[in-house]
Amino acid sequence: MRLAICDDSTEVVEQIEAFIDDIKEMNIEYDVFYSGEELYRYKKNTDVEFDIYLLDIEMNEMSGLELGHILRNESPYALIVFLTSHTQYVYDVFDVVTFDFIVKPLTYSRFKMTIEKAARYLRRLKINFIFSYRKNNYSIPCHLIMYIEKHGRKAYIHTRDDKIKECNITIKEIWKQLSTKMFVQIHASCIVNLEVISEIVKDQLILEDGTILYVGRNHKQEVKIKHLAFLKEQL
């Protein structure tokens, strides 16, 4: 796991470095930057991609929020964690699709909890769904799948980049590749990524792109339980 630490306080940077050294069970590499401009120049000149960006919001010149907006556009799947001394920014950070928000002064337990949560999320990103169709082999990262629906012998894979892939595969074969913590079956012929569910209203699922799917009567309870468990894991 590769981190970019961006904070103009040497004291905070040294504290984070000490925290990372104490997390023995993870292999963490990191680079330190003392301004948003320094981090952005390094990223552009080296083409290095970080898994996680730890950004101080209150920096001189380019703020962490400004840098976060730029990074989100260029690295859509990187995780951005904001650091701040002021809770007034808590609502502003979510415009950047923020992974987490840590209020200073930092504590080891809070920092470690965020890193562990990020590690679990990044592990899910690296799992691919593999299938064949018309003698061609395909691989899609599971986190890019919105839902998979069956119509007869065909399965249609709807992805978050507005594409639909098709293949001949059974529900049983689909489940062999999917995590039951990340996906849920909403009726006999449809499986949905829990991460893309924005809202559950009665027997409807409203997905992040506005798509509405209907939940079968026999699956309602399981959908609610698994979605709640998924949300709790993100806290």
Side-chain angles (χ1 to χ4, degrees), residues 175-190:
W175 270 121
K176 287 180 180 179
Q177 296 194 62
L178 299 181
S179 166
T180 56
K181 291 185 177 181
M182 189 174 176
F183 288 85
V184 64
Q185 191 160 342
I186 65 170
H187 55 72
S189 56
C190 187

Side-chain angles (χ1 to χ4, degrees), residues 112-218:
K112 185 180 181 184
M113 182 182 72
T114 298
I115 295 301
E116 289 175 338
K117 182 171 71 170
R120 290 194 298 271
Y121 184 84
L122 291 168
R123 279 195 293 270
R124 287 202 296 265
L125 292 189
K126 294 177 181 178
I127 301 172
N128 290 335
F129 185 80
I130 300 167
F131 60 95
S132 300
Y133 186 63
R134 293 180 178 173
K135 298 183 179 180
N136 293 314
N137 296 323
Y138 299 91
S139 178
I140 300 175
C142 286
H143 74 97
L144 289 184
I145 297 173
M146 292 192 69
Y147 62 98
I148 303 175
E149 58 179 347
K150 285 276 292 177
H151 289 291
R153 297 177 61 185
K154 287 272 184 71
Y156 295 88
I157 305 167
H158 298 254
T159 64
R160 295 169 92 164
D161 53 0
D162 294 324
K163 295 179 181 177
I164 301 176
K165 301 289 186 180
E166 53 185 278
C167 59
N168 297 316
I169 190 171
T170 66
I171 288 288
K172 186 176 181 180
E173 290 169 333
I174 291 170
W175 270 121
K176 287 180 180 179
Q177 296 194 62
L178 299 181
S179 166
T180 56
K181 291 185 177 181
M182 189 174 176
F183 288 85
V184 64
Q185 191 160 342
I186 65 170
H187 55 72
S189 56
C190 187
I191 296 172
V192 178
N193 183 348
L194 290 162
E195 190 175 45
V196 307
I197 299 175
S198 294
E199 194 174 355
I200 300 176
V201 182
K202 296 182 179 179
D203 62 345
Q204 294 181 347
L205 293 187
I206 302 173
L207 307 188
E208 61 185 14
D209 67 344
T211 297
I212 297 176
L213 300 176
Y214 290 88
V215 181
R217 183 185 306 171
N218 296 332

Side-chain angles (χ1 to χ4, degrees), residues 7-18 34 104-106:
D7 196 303
D8 55 8
S9 166
T10 55
E11 182 180 347
V12 171
V13 168
E14 289 174 359
Q15 186 180 25
I16 292 173
E17 289 180 305
Y34 292 97
K104 297 177 182 178
L106 306 182

Side-chain angles (χ1 to χ4, degrees), residues 12-23 30 108 111:
V12 171
V13 168
E14 289 174 359
Q15 186 180 25
I16 292 173
E17 289 180 305
F19 288 166
I20 292 173
D21 288 342
D22 285 340
I23 303 176
Y30 64 89
Y108 175 71
F111 181 83

Side-chain angles (χ1 to χ4, degrees), residues 84-98:
T84 182
S85 303
H86 304 288
T87 55
Q88 69 197 56
Y89 294 108
V90 69
Y91 297 109
D92 298 330
V93 302
F94 290 103
D95 290 336
V96 187
V97 189
T98 308

